[in-house]
């Protein structure tokens, strides 16, 4: 999108974004998402992301997100463990290795800098 816009996040249609099976620790989590804006150079991305319950691992980008619905506990290897839910803002550092325990389908709005 090249113009200013507004989007109601709870009702936004998302598309499947399959996880790498190696990331799944337990359960059968499914991921969906939607990029709503990307800079011309591809180094800044804004979007919506959702994951169903389960446990997954990830290596993070430089990201800030706000939880819209659901809840999860995020464990950062060698760092903090925090639980996020609706209205919570979180910041992840590039290279953080994380384990996400998703308790209730989590939907977040995010901004990533690459």
């Amino acid at each position: 999108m090249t113009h200013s816009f507004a989007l109601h996040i709870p009702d936004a249609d998302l598309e499947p974004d399959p996880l790498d099976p190696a990331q799944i620790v337990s359960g059968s989590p499914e991921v969906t998402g939607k990029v709503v804006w990307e800079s011309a150079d591809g180094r800044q991305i804004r979007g919506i992301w959702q994951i169903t319950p389960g446990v997954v691992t990830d290596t993070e980008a430089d990201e800030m997100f706000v939880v819209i619905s659901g809840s999860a506990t995020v464990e950062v290897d060698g760092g903090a463990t925090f639980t996020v839910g609706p209205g919570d803002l979180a910041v992840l550092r590039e290279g953080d290795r994380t384990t996400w325990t998703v308790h209730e389908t989590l939907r977040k709005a995010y901004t990533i800098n690459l």
Side-chain angles (χ1 to χ4, degrees), residues 47-92:
I48 303 166
W49 185 83
Q50 180 170 288
I51 186 169
T52 61
V55 180
V56 300
T57 60
D58 199 10
T59 301
E60 303 297 338
D62 176 17
E63 177 180 359
M64 181 179 78
F65 66 86
V66 175
V67 177
I68 306 304
S69 60
S71 66
T73 300
V74 182
E75 191 176 338
V76 180
D77 287 357
T81 296
F82 49 90
T83 299
V84 293
D88 289 334
L89 179 143
V91 175
L92 298 169

Side-chain angles (χ1 to χ4, degrees), residues 1-8 12-13 15 34-41 44-48:
M1 295 185 168
T2 59
H3 303 298
S4 298
F5 65 94
L7 179 65
H8 189 67
D13 288 328
E15 299 178 8
K34 179 177 189 166
V35 172
V36 298
W37 180 86
E38 186 172 342
S39 64
D41 64 3
Q44 296 180 339
I45 302 168
R46 314 287 187 258
I48 303 166

Side-chain angles (χ1 to χ4, degrees), residues 24-29 53-55:
I24 300 172
V25 176
S26 67
S28 300
V55 180

